[in-house]
Amino acid sequence: MNLYKTQELKVYNSLSAQKEAFTPLIEGYVGMYVCGPTVYSNVHLGNCRTFISFDLVFRYLKHLGYKVRYVRNITDAGHLENDADVGEDRIAKKARLEQIEPMEVVQRYTVDFHNTLAKFNNLEPSIEPTATGHIIEQIEIIKEIIQKGFAYEVNGSVYFDVLKFNASNHYGKLSKRNVEDLIHNTRELDGQSDKKNPQDFALWKKAEPQHIMRWPSPWSDGFPGWHLECTAMSTKYLGEQFDIHGGGMDLKFPHHECEIAQAEACNGHSPVNYWMHANMLTLNGKKMAKSTGNNILPNEIFSGENTILSKPFSPSVTRFFILQAHYRSILDFSNDALEASEKGYYRLMEAIQMLDRLPVADKSSVDIATWIQSGYDAMNDDFNSPILIAQLFEAVRYINLIKDGKEQITATDLSLFTASLNAFVFDILGLENVTNEGSNQNQKLNGVVELLIQLRAEARANKDWALSDKIRIELESLGIQLKDGKDGTTFTLQ
């Protein structure tokens, strides 16, 4: 059933700065592109919030019956620190510091990214292209922009001419800026003297002799600009014009602004109908930053190995916490907030498990149809997950009243109620059915395995290799894989 024909979805479009009725370019089909990670470090919680937000969008569109092509890239070419035109390639820098190949860095952190999102129960995108796999497409776009007169080559590098583009277009329309306001940073930096104007951005950079990641091009051995990769991959897989482009709020300027300029310069029209941006995550009221120590990684939340939280919290509880705020609002992460979310999450799961034990009656005293529509109304209002969650707790109230005999429900209504509640909780919000009892069991299992790891470490220290091997082999037979690393031994459940 195509629910999108009966539900009126409205999406907040960053371009118009208002909610708009969602009408895809082709009825029944949605093309969505979301900027993926630059894989030079473990994915942080702020990034995860963005990807969980767009997983919610993906899930709801699919639930409504749309055929969705969701494209989310991997930036594996590396781009310069602070996304500038000068500096050091982030991936190359990590490779140099760890004395490994850049593609080893890419592989390690791409795997971490996938594993982390899988723990959060995110659906995989339809296509996950890489920047290095689309160098040819990026070179062809640069050729086209040069041919249209909106880019110029200097000493092997190619720059986008912002002022020339702005003469017939509006550079800054997404972030609501004017070029005149941008011409304030005029200090000379090494490598910027090649530009006609400081606000021009690189489409192709000539590689310095020490630069590891480089490719041949008509202009030089070098590497593409950061903004270009998303233009190349989004248009290749979704067409010159597509429905939704998403990302974090921090990407609105300059990244998405530059994407619009590149696509308009190349193809002559706006590339995206609806621009969507997820807001930032703060930690204890302050911006998350590795440099200040005000930072926490997802696996540190799940394991409890951190100095910020009082105990471990499961991925599903963490996801529930994130979805309790609207994706466009700032969300503050704290121990108290997570504990409150955990209580609410288990209350919801326990109520769902009670559904098949509820008594049925000849007539219903609760209006299930109105409740169901209230859930859709929340999601139709720009994917308003906190309002949907409020409606879910209204359902919990119904369940408890029916259990206590204070309200009645027919078998037909109970079946409809159960199906709708499961759809909202598991299909749309992407939560997993884990009770508090199950969480406690997991914590006990973790404790037992950690004890065995400690005993194995002692056996190895005493050169009792037979006992060490026995512990590892017995755990493997139970589906628990040990992995020895420089920071100690970790385990995964197979």
Side-chain angles (χ1 to χ4, degrees):
M1 179 182 174
N2 292 328
L3 287 170
Y4 63 80
K5 293 184 176 180
T6 61
Q7 301 296 330
E8 187 183 357
L9 173 61
K10 291 192 173 181
V11 175
Y12 183 88
N13 190 347
S14 298
L15 195 59
S16 65
Q18 60 186 17
K19 292 176 188 175
E20 299 177 5
F22 180 70
T23 307
L25 289 163
I26 301 171
E27 184 180 344
Y29 293 82
V30 177
M32 180 169 78
Y33 184 90
V34 174
C35 294
T38 302
V39 282
Y40 69 97
S41 64
N42 296 108
V43 62
H44 63 75
L45 196 62
N47 284 144
C48 290
R49 186 199 182 184
T50 295
F51 300 126
I52 289 169
S53 296
F54 286 102
D55 184 61
L56 175 73
V57 172
F58 183 34
R59 284 172 174 276
Y60 189 58
L61 291 172
K62 284 165 65 75
H63 176 79
L64 289 180
Y66 288 110
K67 288 187 170 69
V68 187
R69 178 176 287 177
Y70 175 18
V71 182
R72 187 186 66 211
N73 72 299
I74 294 285
T75 296
D76 61 344
H79 50 84
L80 303 184
E81 288 191 276
N82 304 316
D83 308 320
D85 290 329
V86 295
E88 188 171 9
D89 180 311
R90 292 175 169 188
I91 290 172
K93 180 179 181 180
K94 188 79 169 185
R96 178 175 56 76
L97 290 172
E98 298 194 14
Q99 296 186 316
I100 58 176
E101 281 288 324
M103 280 302 162
E104 288 183 75
V105 174
V106 165
Q107 180 69 14
R108 175 186 301 171
Y109 295 115
T110 300
V111 169
D112 169 74
F113 173 67
H114 288 151
N115 288 344
T116 301
L117 291 195
K119 288 174 185 175
F120 279 122
N121 202 32
N122 274 27
L123 300 177
E124 293 181 351
S126 316
I127 304 173
E128 191 174 53
T130 63
T132 56
H134 296 77
I135 300 293
I136 292 171
E137 288 85 349
Q138 294 176 73
I139 288 171
E140 291 303 309
I141 290 174
I142 295 171
K143 287 180 183 176
E144 184 76 15
I145 295 173
I146 291 173
Q147 192 269 324
K148 296 281 179 66
F150 293 113
Y152 56 93
E153 184 260 334
V154 183
N155 297 330
S157 293
V158 181
Y159 297 98
F160 189 92
D161 192 332
V162 168
L163 290 188
K164 187 167 184 183
F165 173 79
N166 194 63
S168 54
N169 301 273
H170 179 191
Y171 179 80
K173 61 185 174 184
L174 179 66
S175 56
K176 311 297 181 279
R177 304 176 190 218
N178 295 313
V179 168
E180 293 75 17
D181 299 330
L182 298 173
I183 310 175
H184 66 278
N185 183 9
T186 56
R187 68 187 189 279
E188 284 296 317
L189 298 173
D190 290 342
Q192 283 204 340
S193 57
D194 288 344
K195 293 182 181 183
K196 289 182 180 177
N197 304 290
Q199 61 274 11
D200 293 350
F201 57 88
L203 298 175
W204 187 266
K205 286 291 290 180
K206 181 181 179 179
E208 298 299 324
Q210 71 273 16
H211 200 96
I212 306 171
M213 302 181 83
R214 57 173 69 217
W215 293 265
S217 80
W219 312 285
S220 64
D221 272 11
F223 52 94
W226 171 43
H227 314 304
L228 190 64
E229 64 177 271
C230 288
T231 296
M233 289 184 278
S234 62
T235 55
K236 174 166 183 174
Y237 297 109
L238 298 174
E240 291 183 4
Q241 212 167 6
F242 55 95
D243 299 301
I244 296 172
H245 192 315
M249 195 75 79
D250 57 322
L251 298 181
K252 189 184 289 187
F253 185 88
H255 185 51
H256 291 160
E257 204 71 75
C258 293
E259 277 192 64
I260 291 173
Q262 288 164 166
E264 290 186 353
C266 188
N267 302 318
H269 53 75
S270 183
V272 178
N273 279 3
Y274 302 89
W275 285 91
M276 297 179 65
H277 293 92
N279 215 325
M280 65 187 291
L281 193 64
T282 57
L283 177 56
N284 292 325
K286 298 176 183 175
K287 183 179 178 181
M288 282 196 181
K290 290 180 184 176
S291 57
T292 61
N294 197 53
N295 185 60
I296 190 167
L297 294 174
N299 284 333
E300 293 171 339
I301 300 169
F302 310 151
S303 69
E305 295 174 4
N306 62 78
T307 58
I308 295 167
L309 303 176
S310 60
K311 63 176 186 175
F313 292 92
S314 72
S316 227
V317 166
T318 310
R319 182 185 177 100
F320 184 63
F321 160 75
I322 287 171
L323 293 174
Q324 282 184 293
H326 191 268
Y327 77 90
R328 285 193 289 114
S329 65
I330 293 174
L331 173 60
D332 188 53
F333 183 92
S334 70
N335 186 76
D336 288 350
L338 266 179
E339 285 193 338
S341 287
E342 185 178 57
K343 288 175 184 173
Y345 173 79
Y346 288 135
R347 185 170 151 236
L348 176 60
M349 292 303 148
E350 286 159 8
I352 289 171
Q353 293 193 339
M354 211 184 294
L355 283 166
D356 60 0
R357 301 195 300 273
L358 291 181
V360 294
D362 294 333
K363 62 179 181 177
S364 292
S365 59
V366 289
D367 187 346
I368 297 302
T370 298
W371 174 82
I372 291 170
Q373 188 56 49
S374 71
Y376 282 110
D377 289 345
M379 288 302 293
N380 291 338
D381 183 19
D382 191 33
F383 311 98
N384 202 324
S385 57
I387 299 299
L388 172 60
I389 289 170
Q391 293 301 326
L392 297 181
F393 283 110
E394 184 68 5
V396 171
R397 190 176 71 84
Y398 288 161
I399 291 168
N400 288 321
L401 288 171
I402 294 166
K403 175 177 72 78
D404 295 339
K406 296 175 181 177
E407 296 284 1
Q408 294 181 318
I409 192 168
T410 65
T412 301
D413 276 355
L414 179 58
S415 176
L416 182 61
F417 185 40
T418 300
S420 300
L421 188 54
N422 283 330
F424 287 140
V425 172
F426 304 119
D427 296 346
I428 295 170
L429 293 180
L431 301 175
E432 293 182 287
N433 197 348
V434 181
T435 62
N436 197 11
E437 180 182 349
S439 175
N440 289 335
Q441 292 298 326
N442 285 337
Q443 288 182 38
K444 290 174 184 175
L445 172 63
N446 290 349
V448 171
V449 176
E450 291 294 347
L451 176 61
L452 288 170
I453 288 172
Q454 185 179 337
L455 292 174
R456 178 171 173 264
E458 291 172 3
R460 295 176 77 182
N462 296 328
K463 298 188 177 180
D464 188 349
W465 309 118
L467 178 58
S468 170
D469 288 345
K470 180 177 174 61
I471 292 172
R472 178 180 55 78
I473 291 166
E474 290 292 336
L475 285 174
E476 277 184 7
S477 70
L478 296 170
I480 300 169
Q481 184 83 38
L482 298 185
K483 184 177 181 182
D484 296 317
K486 62 181 182 180
D487 297 324
T489 302
T490 58
F491 72 93
T492 54
L493 300 178
Q494 301 299 305

